[in-house]
Amino acid sequence: MKFVLQPWQLILIILASWVNRQQQEVIEYLRTENAVLKEKFGKNRISLTDEQRRRLAVKGKLLGHKQLEQVETLFTPDTILRWHRQLVANKWDYSDRKEKRTGRPRIRQVIVDLTVKFAKENPTWGYDRISGALSNIGYNICDSTISNILKAHGIEPAPDRKRTGSWETFLKAHWDVMASIDFTTVEVWTKSGLTTFYLLFVMELKTRRVDFAGCTTNPNEAWMKTIALELTNHEDGFLKDKRYIIMDRDATFSKAYRDFLRNEGVKPVRLPARSPNLKDYASCCTFSVRSDTTSRSWLRSFSLTPICFIGRSSP
């Protein structure tokens, strides 16, 4: 059986060949031009503005390290990609805001550490007793400050502290019915510029099974309620047989979101502030995902609506 080209197919092939040849000629010219500029400047440093670096970084990121090497650019691929990493880092740089903060100064870390230590080692000590112990070593702290420190670290007042077990004991007692939830973010260049995508994951602590709950650029309350509805589905929801779900104090996990979970029989367990060691399993998972999601093409494979289980992390 012979295959006969139609006239329009032959014209299309000729046109594609001509366009490809034209593109190759343009690329060859640009390579030659770059080589001439390199010879002219030699080892002299080429000074660029921040805007020029940004333009090169955005275009260079789309090409990738391998194609940048083939183009023979004026700057090394490592330099161009380093500029792009700096763009992402600058987006999350809040150092200027921290310097402008006003109000009551922070409590010294040594006082916080001693207060927590006294409370854990002496379950019967109240705020006055802890305050007196601190005064004996030169730190005069009021009862309300001690109360705030202990609340921030999830430590109950003296009457309840003696009856409350450790975090490790709590986890072991509810291992089979406990899950964890956490966010991670990836940066993606879109038509509107550098965009942050929020990826939500849930983990079953006993098996380390991880579900990707969904991703969005705006994790508002309505979106979170939709996620909660999917997770607590009585037929195949991830939290169907769970009684507790661990979460940090991210404002995205709002009171309305937590109340919805309680009404479905899942009790939210909010961790104390600045306690990443209490959710290390979920943190390791999100760190691994964030390390792997470095290209725009990877993110395209995700839907903006919640999807079912896609992966599993080993213990």
Side-chain angles (χ1 to χ4, degrees), residues 100-215:
K100 297 178 181 178
R101 285 181 180 176
T102 60
R104 178 180 293 182
R106 286 187 175 183
I107 305 170
R108 295 166 59 184
Q109 189 60 41
V110 62
I111 297 176
V112 174
D113 294 340
L114 286 172
T115 302
V116 173
K117 180 180 179 182
F118 288 157
K120 288 183 176 180
E121 294 180 354
N122 303 277
T124 60
W125 284 16
Y127 300 149
D128 290 337
R129 185 69 180 273
I130 295 175
S131 177
L134 290 171
S135 298
N136 292 336
I137 54 179
Y139 302 113
N140 296 316
I141 306 298
C142 64
D143 292 357
S144 61
T145 301
I146 293 174
S147 173
N148 292 335
I149 293 174
L150 297 185
K151 287 179 181 178
H153 286 77
I155 301 176
E156 301 289 342
D160 300 325
R161 197 185 317 143
K162 191 173 181 180
R163 298 191 298 268
T164 304
S166 65
W167 178 247
E168 181 179 3
T169 303
F170 175 76
L171 288 179
K172 289 182 178 179
H174 305 90
W175 206 244
D176 295 340
V177 291
M178 184 170 291
S180 179
I181 189 168
D182 201 10
F183 274 101
T184 190
T185 60
V186 292
E187 303 296 331
V188 178
W189 284 103
T190 63
K191 293 181 180 179
S192 58
L194 190 59
T195 304
T196 303
F197 279 80
Y198 295 83
L199 280 64
L200 184 62
F201 292 85
V202 285
M203 172 183 284
E204 186 180 71
L205 294 191
K206 181 180 179 181
T207 62
R208 308 293 191 277
R209 181 169 66 94
V210 177
D211 268 31
F212 173 67
C215 79

Side-chain angles (χ1 to χ4, degrees), residues 3 13 20 28 32 40 55 61 76 87 107-109 125 140 148 154 163 185 196 216-217 232 273:
F3 179 76
I13 293 173
N20 182 64
E28 289 299 327
T32 304
K40 180 176 177 59
R55 287 157 55 191
K61 177 63 177 177
T76 64
L87 283 175
I107 305 170
R108 295 166 59 184
Q109 189 60 41
W125 284 16
N140 296 316
N148 292 335
R163 298 191 298 268
T185 60
T196 303
T216 182
T217 56
T232 56

Side-chain angles (χ1 to χ4, degrees), residues 246-308:
I246 302 172
M247 60 184 66
D248 56 24
R249 293 183 177 268
D250 191 322
T252 310
F253 302 124
S254 63
K255 185 177 184 300
Y257 175 77
R258 300 195 304 272
D259 290 341
F260 183 92
L261 292 177
R262 288 192 187 93
N263 293 334
E264 295 298 322
V266 182
K267 181 179 179 181
V269 179
R270 301 183 74 195
L271 299 177
R274 298 183 296 278
S275 57
N277 58 309
L278 297 185
K279 59 165 188 172
D280 49 350
Y281 293 128
S283 297
C284 289
C285 167
T286 55
F287 177 80
S288 299
V289 171
R290 195 172 184 178
S291 300
D292 292 337
T293 55
T294 56
S295 67
R296 181 177 179 179
S297 60
W298 187 94
L299 190 62
R300 286 176 179 171
S301 64
F302 288 108
S303 170
L304 295 183
T305 56
I307 61 176
C308 297

